[in-house]
Amino acid sequence: MFAGLCVPVRAAGDSAAATEGRTLRLSLRECLDIALQDNPTVRVADMEVTRTDYSKRETLAALFPTIDFTGSYQRSIELQTIRMNMGGESQSIKMGSDNSWNFGFSASMPLVSAQLWKSIKISDTQILASLESARSSRLNLASQVRQAYYSLMLALASQRVIKQNYEVALFNAELFEKKFQAGTASEYDVLRSSVQVKNVEPELLQADIAIRQCKLQLLVLMGIDSRVDIEPTVTLDDMRADMIVKTSAVDRSLTDNSSLRSLDLQARMAAQNVALRKLAWVPTLAATFNISWMSLSNGNALRNQQFNPYSNVGVALQIPIFAGGSRYYALRQAQVQTKQLALQRENLINTLNMQVELALDNIDHQARQIDTSAEGMRQAAKAYDIMQKSFEIGAATYLDLRDSELANTTAQLVYYQAIHTYLISTAELDLLLGKE
């Protein structure tokens, strides 16, 4: 009876509330606020935005001068020997010094680097993509919280219905027990009414389990300790009055759909990547500066050192000529990717439009189903009242009464299930349209 009552949870979160042992009565808005603040998935998405911003700053840093310090020391084990003919005689001469010290600074700064400038623009788009990914995480989390909250309300409503049925069955069992003791009822009637009580008890236990599961899922999504109890502030009956949506007035624009926006950002980055690949043929120009100090000496490495400065400044020009075709094929890859994304976008739009139409049709159908089930519940309640009075005056059997009770219970469960299904569909539609 309660299969599929609760929505699945993506990931378990860490404890984020110091309210252990308390019962929290929270509205749906409050649950959403807590989840969007404390859920680890959202926090990870926010950290990804920060990471992407640092990545852009890393790219921007390439525009500034790069300064390095280098230092080296060499000790000659055997000096280099050369032979020279001097006056008809061959003489050996050793060249070099025992000690060689060299240290200094070098600096470079790009003056013309088209690929670097384009990379900065791509970094901006990557930040937008990370922001959209974080927004998508929030939308998905909000949808999951809404569905978990609605499922909890359904579980509570179902428990109330089954508990009423259980109390009626228990009352009838006690009534037949008294009648049997008074000699006005048979032992068979006592056994049958007692069995009915036992039949309802597992359903009541299953309803309690379903409530516990739904509460745990909602608490996990909110990032609250699972030992905290939670109660919704409204019921499914409270929500019916203002939940009907006129689907003809729904904005069907896919502008805010997260999947479409992410794909558009990917297409923008792909187009920028094509431009970046083309700039691989553009020459680059950089300014350079070097200053160093050198000392050569014999004997002790720490004595009699005389450092002489040496410095230069210049520009370095690099003109790409040939790289085995790697730049050309990289450009072709980027161009193919842009065509792929264009086809994916066209297919995604068609799929999303179909999903929106189906979602709106389902909501219309479910709205009518709520009205139908509400009328069926009213009729079942009236039939039960009539059968109850007939049973009291002996005009109906206990079996007739139980059939009426079962019909009344089923009608109530169907009614609440219809409201729950409608609310779930509206949450899914909001997620599809990207509504926050």
Side-chain angles (χ1 to χ4, degrees):
M1 180 182 296
F2 294 91
L5 193 63
C6 299
V7 295
V9 180
R10 257 188 319 189
D14 297 331
S15 173
T19 54
E20 179 182 343
R22 293 178 51 189
T23 298
L24 302 178
R25 287 184 54 82
L26 300 175
S27 66
L28 176 57
R29 181 71 264 172
E30 291 171 333
C31 291
L32 288 170
D33 291 340
I34 294 174
L36 293 175
Q37 179 180 359
D38 293 336
N39 186 274
T41 303
V42 173
R43 294 168 66 183
V44 168
D46 292 338
M47 293 175 67
E48 179 63 19
V49 175
T50 304
R51 188 196 67 80
T52 308
D53 181 61
Y54 288 146
S55 177
K56 178 188 175 182
R57 294 171 184 266
E58 179 185 6
T59 304
L60 285 172
L63 295 174
F64 295 90
T66 301
I67 303 175
D68 297 308
F69 172 81
T70 58
S72 65
Y73 166 75
Q74 291 182 345
R75 175 73 180 187
S76 298
I77 299 176
E78 186 68 31
L79 296 178
Q80 184 179 5
T81 302
I82 62 172
R83 284 186 175 276
M84 301 182 62
N85 290 323
M86 302 180 63
E89 295 182 0
S90 178
Q91 296 183 2
S92 298
I93 301 176
K94 292 184 177 294
M95 302 184 61
S97 303
D98 294 338
N99 306 301
S100 176
W101 290 89
N102 189 358
F103 65 90
F105 297 90
S106 62
S108 64
M109 185 178 70
L111 300 178
V112 178
S113 182
Q115 277 192 308
L116 178 58
W117 300 335
K118 179 59 69 174
S119 297
I120 295 174
K121 293 184 178 180
I122 294 178
S123 298
D124 291 334
T125 308
Q126 288 175 339
I127 292 178
L128 293 177
S130 297
L131 288 171
E132 183 56 36
S133 178
R135 175 177 173 270
S136 178
S137 297
R138 284 184 166 82
L139 290 175
N140 283 305
L141 177 62
S143 181
Q144 291 184 46
V145 171
R146 288 177 63 183
Q147 294 183 48
Y149 195 86
Y150 298 151
S151 295
L152 176 57
M153 288 194 295
L154 174 61
L156 291 171
S158 300
Q159 184 198 46
R160 287 194 298 270
V161 172
I162 295 175
K163 187 175 291 185
Q164 291 173 3
N165 188 25
Y166 176 76
E167 291 173 353
V168 171
L170 189 62
F171 173 79
N172 289 332
E174 294 174 352
L175 179 62
F176 274 108
E177 180 67 28
K178 293 178 180 179
K179 287 185 177 182
F180 174 72
Q181 294 176 359
T184 58
S186 66
E187 184 179 2
Y188 174 75
D189 293 330
V190 174
L191 292 175
R192 185 170 57 182
S193 61
S194 178
V195 168
Q196 184 59 38
V197 173
K198 299 301 181 182
N199 289 338
V200 179
E201 286 178 352
E203 296 182 2
L204 190 60
L205 177 61
Q206 191 174 1
D208 293 335
I209 294 174
I211 291 175
R212 179 58 179 165
Q213 290 176 343
C214 291
K215 287 183 177 181
L216 286 175
Q217 290 179 352
L218 185 56
L219 289 169
V220 167
L221 290 171
M222 294 168 59
I224 297 179
D225 193 286
S226 59
R227 290 168 290 186
V228 176
D229 193 18
I230 186 172
E231 294 289 341
T233 56
V234 294
T235 65
L236 292 178
D237 291 313
D238 298 330
M239 300 193 68
R240 189 195 169 190
D242 57 350
M243 74 180 184
I244 301 300
V245 176
K246 294 187 180 298
T247 55
S248 58
V250 173
D251 182 8
R252 307 186 185 192
S253 172
L254 298 174
T255 305
D256 294 329
N257 179 268
S258 185
S259 298
L260 186 59
R261 291 176 62 166
S262 296
L263 191 61
D264 288 339
L265 288 170
Q266 291 180 33
R268 184 193 299 183
M269 282 191 288
Q272 292 174 336
N273 192 36
V274 170
L276 181 66
R277 297 301 181 185
K278 291 180 179 180
L279 294 175
W281 281 276
V282 176
T284 60
L285 184 66
T288 62
F289 171 75
N290 293 279
I291 182 170
S292 60
W293 290 264
M294 180 179 291
S295 176
L296 302 174
S297 66
N298 294 317
N300 193 319
L302 301 178
R303 292 182 179 180
N304 303 321
Q305 300 298 326
Q306 183 176 358
F307 291 92
N308 300 307
Y310 169 77
S311 62
N312 62 70
V313 63
V315 292
L317 177 65
Q318 183 178 3
I319 302 176
I321 297 178
F322 180 72
S326 63
R327 287 187 287 264
Y328 171 76
Y329 292 118
L331 174 61
R332 296 297 296 170
Q333 289 182 54
Q335 290 173 338
V336 170
Q337 186 182 20
T338 57
K339 294 179 181 179
Q340 289 176 327
L341 291 172
L343 292 174
Q344 291 177 14
R345 188 181 192 278
E346 181 180 354
N347 181 64
L348 179 61
I349 288 178
N350 293 333
T351 302
L352 291 176
N353 283 327
M354 178 192 67
Q355 292 176 349
V356 170
E357 291 298 328
L358 290 176
L360 292 174
D361 289 342
N362 288 335
I363 290 176
D364 278 336
H365 172 74
Q366 290 153 8
R368 292 192 295 269
Q369 180 65 32
I370 291 174
D371 293 336
T372 302
S373 58
E375 179 62 20
M377 183 178 65
R378 186 189 66 81
Q379 294 176 353
K382 184 176 181 181
Y384 173 72
D385 290 339
I386 295 174
M387 189 58 63
Q388 180 72 34
K389 291 181 174 61
S390 299
F391 176 74
E392 291 174 357
I393 64 176
T397 65
Y398 178 71
L399 182 60
D400 295 331
L401 179 62
R402 285 305 304 161
D403 288 341
S404 178
E405 290 174 357
L406 179 60
N408 185 36
T409 300
T410 303
Q412 293 181 68
L413 292 176
V414 169
Y415 169 72
Y416 289 125
Q417 181 64 54
I419 297 177
H420 171 263
T421 304
Y422 175 90
L423 293 172
I424 293 295
S425 297
T426 57
E428 293 175 347
L429 178 62
D430 288 344
L431 177 62
L432 192 61
L433 296 177
K435 293 183 178 180
E436 300 183 11

